[in-house]
Amino acid sequence: MARAEKAFNSYSDTAFYTHVAPGKNRIVYIYGHLATYHDALKETLGVGKRSRPDLAALFLQDPDNILAEYPSLIELKSFWNNVHTELNELFATLSAVEWFKRHNAMTDEDFMKDPSRNRLAVLLNRANHVAYHVGQVVLVKPENPV
Amino acid sequence: MARAEKAFNSYSDTAFYTHVAPGKNRIVYIYGHLATYHDALKETLGVGKRSRPDLAALFLQDPDNILAEYPSLIELKSFWNNVHTELNELFATLSAVEWFKRHNAMTDEDFMKDPSRNRLAVLLNRANHVAYHVGQVVLVKPENPV
């Protein structure tokens, strides 16, 4: 997340409305998408409630749409900060044993069959998801990053 | 890696020479970059030797260069397959205890200070690195992926 924040924070407010490649998502969409996904992560892990379920339609169900009305960057940045501060606090309370427990997107029965599908696996999956989008966001920079 | 292979394998040989965004890396470079990085991973983890140290200059030190002579796609695909088959075999022999041992890119002294910098951490880091580039590679597809 530190790396993702560094990437997003390197852009001006205007640059947030740049597409990462022609016809592809804008930075603002990816930013809202990650924040909304991580807001929902609290429920997937079974450690809290989403604070903005209303954003799921815009940033999870719908693709980027230049005609859609997104929250302002000020609002999105505040949402991003709140979500990640809350997740950090929640994660700090989880013991190692709790990370290996079942997450809420699967049944007890499925978990019995495959205990590797635990909360830690969800977290690692989300880390890969962040990296996937950061790889796109950095394309807006003038240099060619590796 | 399965997801990365699926992404790369969805492109024709011609499409491998497409830039992921204007002025950015071509798919072929990212493909060679990941294969070469993972070839070197054997040495970083201290479990084997690189098979193609000669590719480090092209795919790790140098950025993508349309004037550079890259190995053919047939050669690169064979290299990719060999590297990942070998890694899979090596990983299958490593016990949980061995994953928590020091990797070769740090000293014993540093490892004493921070034992979380182990082989498993390197592997997770490389998984994020793959996801970062896969996020770029998929941009060449006509749809707008999330």
Side-chain angles (χ1 to χ4, degrees), chain B residues 30-42:
Chain B
I30 295 175
Y31 190 73
H33 172 69
L34 290 177
T36 308
Y37 208 20
H38 294 170
D39 190 31
L41 177 58
K42 286 173 267 175

Side-chain angles (χ1 to χ4, degrees), chain A residues 49-125:
Chain A
K49 279 272 170 208
R50 284 191 284 181
S51 61
R52 293 292 303 271
D54 58 303
L55 294 179
L58 272 182
F59 290 120
L60 299 181
Q61 284 135 39
D62 296 345
D64 189 7
N65 178 359
I66 54 166
L67 300 175
E69 266 201 41
Y70 290 125
S72 68
L73 264 192
I74 289 176
E75 188 180 340
L76 280 180
K77 289 193 174 190
S78 160
F79 174 52
W80 170 288
N81 289 334
N82 291 342
V83 165
H84 293 107
T85 301
E86 191 185 353
L87 281 178
N88 273 337
E89 286 165 2
L90 288 167
F91 290 172
T93 69
L94 284 183
S95 66
V97 170
E98 283 171 313
W99 278 109
F100 286 96
K101 284 188 182 158
R102 172 175 86 78
H103 58 75
N104 278 0
M106 70 186 307
T107 62
D108 276 323
E109 200 179 24
D110 283 340
F111 188 57
M112 291 275 278
K113 283 184 211 150
D114 185 0
S116 76
R117 295 174 62 190
N118 50 43
R119 283 169 169 163
L120 184 60
V122 172
L123 188 74
L124 295 178
N125 181 290

Side-chain angles (χ1 to χ4, degrees), chain B residues 99-118:
Chain B
W99 278 109
F100 286 96
K101 285 188 182 160
R102 172 175 87 77
H103 60 74
N104 278 359
M106 70 186 307
T107 63
D108 277 321
E109 201 178 23
D110 283 340
F111 187 58
M112 290 277 279
K113 283 185 210 149
D114 185 0
S116 76
R117 296 174 63 191
N118 50 42

Side-chain angles (χ1 to χ4, degrees), chain A residues 2-11 15-16 18-21 25-28 30-31 34 130-146, chain B residues 20-25 30 128-129 131-137 139:
Chain A
R3 211 176 151 190
E5 291 198 346
K6 199 177 157 194
F8 285 114
N9 290 340
S10 72
Y11 293 110
F16 261 75
T18 312
H19 298 262
V20 299
N25 293 324
R26 291 170 301 169
I27 294 178
V28 66
I30 295 175
Y31 190 73
L34 290 177
V130 172
Y132 177 95
H133 286 299
V134 169
Q136 299 171 335
V137 166
V138 298
L139 294 174
V140 175
K141 297 195 191 205
E143 331 80 79
N144 193 359
V146 169
Chain B
V20 299
K24 305 297 175 182
N25 293 323
I30 295 175
N128 276 292
H129 177 245
Y132 176 96
H133 286 300
V134 170
Q136 300 171 335
V137 166
L139 293 174

